[in-house]
């Protein structure tokens, strides 16, 4: 969850580090620090809170060097404080490291190191790594890191700097992401390419169990066992502009507005003249024809998109689908089934629970494909095939454009499976595709008309509880609407299947409880209206999200938000936009830190 960075080159090292840390603040932001080696030896600056606090310190006491390392923290071991902030140094004060991940055996390592005379000052697991490196150190930092690595258990990526070799950085990856950026006579290493997008166009993604060195002489990569690796470089497809707000007040709002483009791009990546193609997913048509069950695994918003996928696939391709949150799936006794296909959905491709789920599936020998937004992410290296959402970089901690892109992919996959199994002919699929092509235009319409949604946000921003209800395809949207609201506004919100409301949540309903009902037209419309009446009968305030051509909706609801009319399938992708906007404007009126909600990190790389 933390963001780590290293730089070797001729620019002002601390400025590159601070720039990179700001770009990666979405990964964690309770404290930060940088280190570089200048004439006076190793210098470290740390600060609690936002990176701006560290920048302020840097402007008072600048530190520079040829190489430097930096870190933004999302606390796991030890409270957010300057002492616990990275970089951590050894007893001699010559070696510093930054770390992302969790060193699981830090307790035993720490006791051994204390017995050997090492002095610890923080509560972090990271500090053991730097003392372990010191313990191995014999004048060569590369050898010391190589010697320390096999003793560390858990997930980690580290970058290490020594004042004895001030132009060199040694780094390693085990289960936490790390990527090297190749600039002109300069080198970067970071948790995410976003950290150096402005400076480098080529990247090398490290594999688990690899260690690297960057220095003015270049890049070298080795396996932990010592064997040199012939690395592959990839072009970076994202550009620096994607990491700017471009006039929007928050990244989240910018990303909500990017949805028409993200849907067009994602569609362009999977559509052919007369159907869909998932060439990167390497979907074997013979296998698809035999698939008897699909299992979807994901977390958070990606889970909600996966749940929508379950409805799409079951209704369109007639294949039974089960779905789990990854953190439950990995410890559940899942019963093997022949001819089953697993699909993991993950925006970042780095979520620890989802990665563990992939490993579990692989150990059982089942086929697995991933739906992800990040090229080269950890999950893409573990699965049999990948379907990329082409939503562009998502900076806001609250996922928005990736949810609609994932939902679109799941819908397209359902149509593809239906055709492959002979349930729908090419001709029958054509009208679905034609409607999908209209989605960006319909999204634009919603985004042009936010006045009403802002008004609703102002009416209800001070409520303490919200309920979100939907049936069938709209049930995952109810979950997503509630998740968005609680994430960024800190209002308690629950998403429920509308028919389940009478089994418990109905007890919460009173005149202070807004109930958002996604009531777009479907075969269950009448049942949804009955649920609305049950809410109204208990003085609940119904906020309806309905289709434009629904002339009855107004009579059932206190407040109404309309979206362009579409089929139930396409409506399920459209109707989340007003929910995202409602959460956004409520959080904005409440003055919340929308792009960096408290306690949250964009990619959750710990279990
Ligand atoms: C979304 O708004 C959340 N921040 C969170 O639930 C997220 O969707 C979840 O952590 C999964 O992340 P992933 O898609 O990168 O795997």
């Amino acid at each position: 969850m933390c963001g780590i960075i290293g730089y070797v080159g001729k620019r002002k090292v601390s400025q590159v580090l601070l720039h990179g840390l700001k770009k990666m603040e979405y990964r964690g932001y309770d404290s930060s620090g940088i280190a570089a080696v200048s004439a006076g030896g190793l210098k470290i600056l740390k600060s609690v809170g936002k990176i701006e606090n560290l920048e302020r310190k840097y402007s008072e006491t600048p530190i520079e060097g040829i190489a430097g390392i930096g870190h933004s923290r999302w606390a796991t071991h030890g409270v957010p404080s300057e002492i616990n902030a990275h970089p951590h140094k050894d007893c001699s004060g010559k070696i510093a490291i930054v770390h992302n991940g969790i060193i699981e055996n830090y307790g035993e390592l720490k006791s051994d190191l204390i017995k050997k005379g090492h002095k610890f000052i923080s509560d972090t697991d990271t500090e053991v790594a730097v003392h372990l490196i010191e313990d191995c150190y014999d004048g060569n930092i590369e050898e010391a890191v190589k010697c320390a690595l096999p003793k560390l258990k858990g997930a980690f990526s580290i970058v290490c700097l020594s004042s004895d070799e001030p132009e060199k950085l040694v780094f390693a990856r085990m289960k936490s992401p790390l990527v090297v950026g190749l600039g002109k006579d300069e080198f970067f290493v970071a948790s995410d390419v976003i950290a150096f997008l402005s400076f480098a166009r080529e990247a090398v993604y490290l594999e688990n169990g690899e260690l690297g060195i960057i220095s003015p002489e270049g890049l070298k990569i080795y396996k932990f066992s010592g064997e040199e690796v012939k690395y592959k470089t990839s072009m970076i497809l994202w550009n620096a502009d994607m990491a700017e707000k471009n006039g929007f007040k928050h990244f989240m709002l910018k990303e909500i507005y990017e949805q028409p483009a993200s849907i067009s791009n994602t569609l362009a990546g999977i559509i052919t003249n007369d159907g869909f193609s998932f060439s990167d997913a390497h979907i074997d048509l013979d296998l698809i024809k035999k698939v008897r069950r699909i299992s979807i695994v994901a977390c958070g918003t990606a889970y909600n998109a996966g749940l929508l996928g379950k409805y799409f696939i079951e209704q369109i391709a007639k294949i039974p689908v089960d779905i789990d949150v990854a953190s439950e799936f990995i410890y559940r006794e899942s019963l093997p089934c022949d001819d089953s296909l697993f699909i993991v959905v993950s925006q970042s491709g780095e979520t620890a629970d989802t990665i563990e789920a992939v490993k579990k599936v692989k150990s059982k020998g089942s086929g697995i494909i991933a739906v992800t937004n990040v090229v080269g992410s950890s999950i893409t290296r573990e699965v049999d095939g990948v379907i990329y959402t082409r939503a562009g970089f998502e900076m806001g901690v609250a996922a928005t454009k990736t949810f609609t892109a994932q939902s679109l992919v799941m819908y397209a996959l359902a149509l593809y499976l239906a055709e492959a199994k002979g349930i729908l002919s090419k001709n029958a699929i054509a009208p679905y595709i034609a409607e999908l092509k209209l989605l960006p235009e319909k999204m634009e319409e919603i985004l042009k008309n936010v006045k009403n949604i802002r008004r609703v946000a102002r009416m209800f921003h001070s409520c303490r509880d919200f309920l979100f209800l939907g049936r069938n395809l709209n049930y995952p949207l109810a979950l997503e609407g509630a998740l968005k609201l609680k994430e960024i506004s800190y209002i308690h919100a629950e998403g429920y299947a509308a028919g389940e409301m009478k089994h418990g949540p109905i007890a919460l309903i009173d005149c202070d409880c807004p109930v958002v009902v996604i009531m777009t037209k479907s075969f269950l419309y009448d049942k949804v209206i009955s649920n609305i009446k049950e809410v109204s009968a208990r003085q609940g305030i119904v906020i309806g999200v309905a289709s434009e051509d629904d002339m009855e909706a107004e009579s059932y609801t206190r407040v109404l938000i309309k979206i362009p009319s579409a089929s139930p399938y396409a409506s399920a992708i459209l109707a989340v936009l007003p929910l995202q906007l409602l959460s956004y404007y409520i959080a904005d009126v409440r003055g919340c830190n929308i792009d960096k909600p408290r306690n949250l990190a964009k990619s959750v790389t710990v279990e």
Side-chain angles (χ1 to χ4, degrees):
M1 327 262 270
C2 307
I4 64 176
I5 182 167
Y7 173 70
V8 177
K10 296 203 175 78
R11 294 176 202 266
K12 288 205 156 188
V13 74
S14 297
Q15 287 180 10
V16 174
L17 299 175
L18 288 165
H19 169 89
L21 290 180
K22 280 189 99 170
K23 296 292 172 203
M24 289 193 295
E25 238 183 335
Y26 72 90
R27 298 181 67 88
Y29 34 77
D30 58 43
S31 52
S32 56
I34 52 173
V37 180
S38 58
L42 180 69
K43 297 268 163 42
I44 297 183
L45 284 183
K46 295 183 185 188
S47 177
V48 174
K50 293 182 179 173
I51 311 290
E52 280 108 79
N53 301 346
L54 185 63
E55 279 182 317
R56 222 166 292 128
K57 275 205 167 167
Y58 165 76
S59 62
E60 289 155 14
T61 344
I63 61 169
E64 289 305 340
I66 302 290
I69 57 177
H71 187 273
S72 76
R73 182 167 186 251
W74 186 89
T76 57
H77 296 61
V79 295
S81 66
E82 279 198 19
I83 285 184
N84 288 333
H86 301 212
H88 289 286
K89 56 182 182 182
D90 68 334
C91 302
S92 72
K94 284 182 168 185
I95 304 172
I97 71 162
V98 287
H99 162 230
N100 171 30
I102 291 183
I103 295 166
E104 286 165 4
N105 59 336
Y106 83 101
E108 39 187 294
L109 290 173
K110 191 168 175 175
S111 326
D112 290 351
L113 287 160
I114 289 173
K115 278 187 210 139
K116 287 181 168 180
H118 289 266
K119 299 260 177 304
F120 284 78
I121 56 165
S122 78
D123 303 317
T124 64
D125 52 333
T126 303
E127 209 185 346
V128 298
V130 71
H131 287 285
L132 206 57
I133 293 168
E134 178 184 27
D135 217 51
C136 293
Y137 189 67
D138 198 7
N140 182 325
I141 192 64
E142 191 180 316
E143 292 307 319
V145 174
K146 275 186 190 157
C147 148
L149 286 172
K151 298 177 183 129
L152 300 174
K153 289 200 184 118
F156 55 83
S157 55
I158 57 165
V159 188
C160 181
L161 168 69
S162 158
S163 59
D164 287 343
E165 296 170 80
E167 299 191 348
K168 183 189 267 186
L169 296 180
V170 184
F171 46 89
R173 173 198 165 128
M174 179 53 77
K175 300 186 195 163
S176 295
L178 204 57
V179 55
V180 177
L182 307 174
K184 194 172 174 315
D185 300 326
E186 57 183 350
F187 301 91
F188 307 79
V189 58
S191 306
D192 196 320
V193 288
I194 194 85
F196 50 76
L197 268 186
S198 312
F199 312 112
R201 299 312 310 150
E202 279 189 304
V204 178
Y205 294 90
L206 255 77
E207 300 286 346
N208 289 333
E210 286 183 352
L211 157 146
I213 296 114
I214 47 176
S215 69
E217 275 78 62
L219 163 70
K220 290 262 182 211
I221 298 184
Y222 301 91
K223 294 214 176 296
F224 283 6
S225 55
E227 184 193 330
E228 190 168 349
V229 172
K230 278 196 179 150
Y231 57 81
K232 257 192 8 218
T233 55
S234 324
M235 287 307 292
I236 300 171
L237 301 174
W238 289 343
N239 57 51
D241 207 36
M242 287 176 176
E244 300 298 333
K245 285 191 209 138
N246 295 339
F248 284 91
K249 187 168 176 191
H250 295 99
F251 279 109
M252 182 180 175
L253 191 61
K254 175 187 167 228
E255 287 156 6
I256 290 174
Y257 273 82
E258 281 172 349
Q259 287 178 105
S262 127
I263 288 293
S264 297
N265 292 339
T266 302
L267 202 54
I270 52 177
I271 209 158
T272 61
N273 284 342
D274 57 354
F276 296 102
S277 156
F278 297 102
S279 48
D280 289 344
H282 308 295
I283 302 176
D284 174 352
L285 269 189
D286 289 334
L287 184 87
I288 291 299
K289 284 177 193 152
K290 281 193 285 170
V291 164
R292 285 197 296 135
R293 190 173 81 180
I294 289 180
S295 299
I296 299 175
V297 186
C299 305
T301 286
Y303 171 88
N304 296 337
L307 184 59
L308 189 51
K310 171 184 161 75
Y311 283 93
F312 286 143
I313 296 170
E314 287 184 341
Q315 286 178 29
I316 300 169
K318 314 290 178 209
I319 302 171
V321 180
D322 52 55
I323 174 156
D324 273 288
V325 285
S327 53
E328 283 301 311
F329 174 79
I330 49 187
Y331 299 111
R332 183 164 74 73
E333 196 56 56
S334 47
L335 302 173
C337 161
D338 287 342
D339 305 325
S340 67
L341 173 72
F342 279 81
I343 303 174
V344 286
V345 188
S346 172
Q347 180 281 131
S348 62
E350 299 294 350
T351 301
D353 291 321
T354 314
I355 294 175
E356 287 308 313
V358 170
K359 287 190 185 141
K360 178 175 171 181
V361 172
K362 279 179 74 180
S363 73
K364 307 238 179 222
S366 300
I368 183 159
I369 59 170
V371 177
T372 185
N373 197 41
V374 182
V375 176
S377 55
S378 299
I379 284 176
T380 62
R381 258 122 5 112
E382 301 279 343
V383 292
D384 301 319
V386 185
I387 304 176
Y388 285 108
T389 48
R390 298 185 180 193
F393 189 78
E394 191 175 64
M395 196 87 168
V397 167
T400 51
K401 61 178 177 173
T402 53
F403 174 81
T404 42
Q406 288 161 351
S407 305
L408 169 74
V409 165
M410 298 311 284
Y411 182 29
L413 197 58
L415 290 165
Y416 177 84
L417 292 169
E419 193 197 329
K421 288 181 90 70
I423 293 165
L424 288 177
S425 66
K426 274 209 185 313
N427 282 347
I429 283 181
Y432 293 94
I433 295 183
E435 188 181 36
L436 277 179
K437 289 183 179 164
L438 295 177
L439 274 178
E441 212 175 285
K442 294 189 174 182
M443 285 181 160
E444 295 282 8
E445 259 182 73
I446 298 174
L447 296 169
K448 265 190 234 145
N449 267 318
V450 293
K451 225 165 123 193
N452 183 32
I453 300 175
R454 295 181 79 156
R455 181 184 68 92
V456 181
R458 281 194 298 271
M459 282 166 78
F460 300 108
H461 71 273
S462 54
C463 292
R464 284 186 46 200
D465 305 284
F466 266 72
L467 261 181
F468 286 75
L469 301 178
R471 274 176 183 262
N472 201 256
L473 293 158
N474 288 338
Y475 166 47
L477 303 193
L479 297 182
E480 180 58 10
L483 179 65
K484 284 291 89 85
L485 187 66
K486 54 191 153 196
E487 272 188 303
I488 58 166
S489 73
Y490 318 137
I491 295 175
H492 166 239
E494 293 199 38
Y496 253 87
E500 185 67 8
M501 177 192 61
K502 57 189 175 291
H503 299 292
I506 199 164
L508 295 173
I509 293 170
D510 63 17
C511 58
D512 294 323
C513 180
V515 182
V516 180
V517 186
I518 303 105
M519 53 184 297
T520 48
K521 282 285 172 71
S522 78
F523 69 101
L524 287 170
Y525 184 80
D526 291 344
K527 294 206 185 295
V528 175
I529 297 303
S530 305
N531 298 136
I532 288 179
K533 288 188 171 159
E534 288 153 13
V535 172
S536 304
R538 285 155 186 87
Q539 279 77 52
I541 308 153
V542 177
I543 303 171
V545 176
S547 317
E548 209 165 47
D549 60 359
D550 181 350
M551 298 308 162
E552 298 163 56
E554 199 153 7
S555 62
Y556 301 124
T557 54
R558 180 89 63 91
V559 179
L560 192 59
I561 300 169
K562 286 219 167 173
I563 62 164
S565 304
S567 71
Y569 296 128
S571 290
I573 301 175
L574 289 174
V576 76
L577 267 66
L579 307 182
Q580 296 167 342
L581 287 161
L582 183 63
S583 298
Y584 173 81
Y585 286 119
I586 287 179
D588 196 34
V589 180
R590 289 165 70 93
C592 298
N593 191 350
I594 293 180
D595 285 330
K596 292 168 196 147
R598 71 182 178 210
N599 305 338
L600 290 175
K602 180 79 179 157
S603 55
V604 185
T605 55
V606 291
E607 253 195 61

